[in-house]
Amino acid sequence: MERQSSDFKRGVQAGISIAIGYFPIALTFGLLAKTTGLSIIETVMMSMIVFAGASQYISLTLLTLGTGTFEIILTTFIVNIRHFLMSASLNEKVEEDRPLFKALYAFGITDETFSVAATKEGTVSTGYIFGVCSVSYASWVVNSGIGHLVGASLPETLQESMTVALYAMFVGLLVPSMKKSTKAIYLAGVAAVFNTIFTFAELLSTGWAIVLATILSALIIEAVESFKTRKAKGGKPLED
Amino acid sequence: MKTEIIWMIIGMGAVTYIPRMLPFVLFRGKELPIFLQGVLKNVPFATLGALIFPGILLIQEDIWYGILGAGAAFLTAYLGANVIVVVLSSIAVLTLYSYFV
C-alpha cells in the first residue's frame, strides 16, 4: 500500500509535463466548443468521458459541418484505434494486477500518458500509471472547462509557442533511450520516415498513418534484429 | 443539454475506451510469441518517432518555427535535461523567436 502511494506520487511528477502540454490544447478546445455551440456541461462532459484530444477537436469540426452522430462516433473510433496498439505494448510492461484495476487505468491511456509510462525504466506499477493519468486527466478536464468559461485563449505569442509543448515532451522522452540504444534510434527514425511519407502523400488519415508507421517500423527492426542474431548464432543481440 | 449531443459523447467515449481497455483484459502479458513480444516492446520508440515527425515541423506555416522548436528540444534533451526543462526551454525559445520575427 505504501509502495503504491509513493509510486503514485512519482507518476504524478512524471505526468506534470503532460499537464503543462494539455493546458493550451484543452483551453482552446473549451473555447472552440463554446463557439461550436456546446454548453459548458457538454464541453466538460466530453473531456471527462472521451479524454482524447484529436478526436474531440475533430468532432467539433464535424458538428459545425452538420455531420450525423453516427459518423462522428465512427470517425472517433478510427482516430483512436491506435490506442489498442499502445495498450497492447504497455500491457507487456505493467506489473500483474487485478483485471479490474487494469481496465480502470486503461481509460487514461493517451499518446502522452502511454509515452511517459512506456519509456519508464523497468516495470510500471499500477500506482505509477494512476499517478500519470490522474494529473493529465485533471489538467485536460479542468482546462477544457476554463477555456469555455473564460471564452478566451492565451496571448497569441504564448499560445503559438505552447503548441510545441507536447512535441517537446515526446522528444524529451525519446532522446534518453536513443542515447542508450541504437535500436531506439532506428525504431524512431524508420517510423518518422514512414509517417512523413504517409502524411505528405495524403493517402491515410493521421490516425492510420501513425498506426501503420509504428507497426512497420517495429516489425522491420525486429525482423532485422532476429535475422542478425540468428546469423551470429549465439552472438549478442543488438543492444536494447 | 441536447440529448443528441449527450448520446454522441457517450458513443465517442465508448469507442475510445474499448480499444484502450481490451488488450489489458484480453492478454495477461508475456504469453505472446517471443517475436511478437519483441515487436510490442519496439512500439514505444516507433510511436514516438511517428508522433514527433513530421508533426513538430508543421506546427506553424513558418517551417523555421518547427525546426527551431525541434532543435531546442533535441539539444536540451541530449544535454540530459529533465522532460519538463525540455518542454519549457522549447516554449521559451519559440516565444523569443515570435517576439523578434
Side-chain angles (χ1 to χ4, degrees):
Chain A
M1 207 55 202
E2 199 165 300
R3 181 183 63 85
Q4 285 296 6
S5 102
S6 73
D7 278 354
F8 181 83
K9 265 187 223 148
R10 257 190 293 270
V12 168
Q13 280 160 4
I16 285 177
S17 38
I18 305 179
I20 297 176
Y22 279 177
F23 170 63
I25 306 176
L27 212 63
T28 313
F29 170 74
L31 176 71
L32 288 178
K34 187 181 193 173
T35 53
T36 309
L38 295 194
S39 71
I40 186 159
I41 297 176
E42 291 163 346
T43 305
V44 173
M45 212 177 129
M46 192 193 281
S47 284
M48 283 179 78
I49 294 178
V50 184
F51 189 37
S55 58
Q56 289 183 221
Y57 270 93
I58 294 169
S59 77
L60 294 183
T61 315
L62 295 180
L63 275 175
T64 315
L65 295 173
T67 315
T69 305
F70 178 74
E71 280 156 283
I72 295 180
I73 295 173
L74 189 68
T75 310
T76 305
F77 176 68
I78 292 168
V79 171
N80 290 334
I81 190 97
R82 67 180 183 286
H83 295 137
F84 182 86
L85 192 61
M86 296 182 189
S87 289
S89 168
L90 193 58
N91 190 37
E92 297 287 318
K93 202 177 151 67
V94 295
E95 69 173 345
E96 287 257 349
D97 213 327
R98 286 162 57 187
L100 180 68
F101 290 152
K102 291 169 122 191
L104 257 177
Y105 66 61
F107 177 78
I109 301 300
T110 63
D111 295 350
E112 293 78 21
T113 55
F114 162 75
S115 303
V116 166
T119 51
K120 181 184 176 291
E121 305 253 351
T123 311
V124 176
S125 71
T126 304
Y128 183 84
I129 302 194
F130 271 114
V132 174
C133 294
S134 328
V135 66
S136 313
Y137 185 68
S139 167
W140 182 252
V141 172
V142 170
N143 289 314
S144 306
I146 293 178
H148 191 289
L149 203 67
V150 177
S153 49
L154 299 166
E156 202 183 335
T157 338
L158 189 60
Q159 171 81 28
E160 278 182 1
S161 49
M162 280 195 86
T163 50
V164 80
L166 291 177
Y167 291 107
M169 184 189 79
F170 292 141
V171 172
L173 293 171
L174 176 62
V175 169
S177 313
M178 288 173 80
K179 282 166 81 174
K180 264 180 286 179
S181 118
T182 334
K183 192 177 177 183
I185 301 181
Y186 284 124
L187 284 165
V190 172
V193 169
F194 273 124
N195 193 40
T196 306
I197 294 172
F198 295 153
T199 304
F200 287 106
E202 288 178 13
L203 295 169
L204 299 158
S205 69
T206 314
W208 285 111
I210 291 176
V211 169
L212 198 60
T214 301
I215 293 180
L216 280 175
S217 168
L219 264 176
I220 292 171
I221 301 294
E222 196 59 25
V224 170
E225 190 191 16
S226 64
F227 176 74
K228 274 192 178 166
T229 316
R230 216 173 308 150
K231 217 169 138 190
K233 275 254 159 87
K236 251 188 101 201
L238 228 99
E239 198 50 55
D240 92 317
Chain B
M1 279 193 288
K2 283 163 248 140
T3 329
E4 207 181 328
I5 296 284
I6 303 302
W7 282 114
M8 181 193 85
I9 293 173
I10 293 172
M12 287 173 68
V15 297
T16 304
Y17 177 61
I18 291 166
R20 281 172 174 167
M21 174 268 295
L22 276 184
F24 285 112
V25 278
L26 284 184
F27 313 124
R28 302 197 46 174
K30 319 268 191 294
E31 82 269 42
L32 296 168
I34 297 288
F35 180 79
L36 212 55
Q37 280 188 39
V39 173
L40 287 175
K41 275 195 195 123
N42 291 345
V43 164
F45 308 112
T47 307
L48 283 170
L51 286 173
I52 297 169
F53 291 105
I56 197 169
L57 302 175
L58 308 175
I59 47 180
Q60 294 286 318
E61 281 198 12
D62 175 10
I63 194 164
W64 282 105
Y65 201 86
I67 294 176
L68 262 178
F74 271 100
L75 185 69
T76 44
Y78 184 77
L79 294 175
N82 176 289
V83 177
I84 295 181
V85 178
V86 174
V87 170
L88 295 180
S89 20
S90 6
I91 293 177
V93 165
L94 290 185
T95 308
L96 270 179
Y97 175 72
S98 37
Y99 188 74
F100 284 112
V101 171

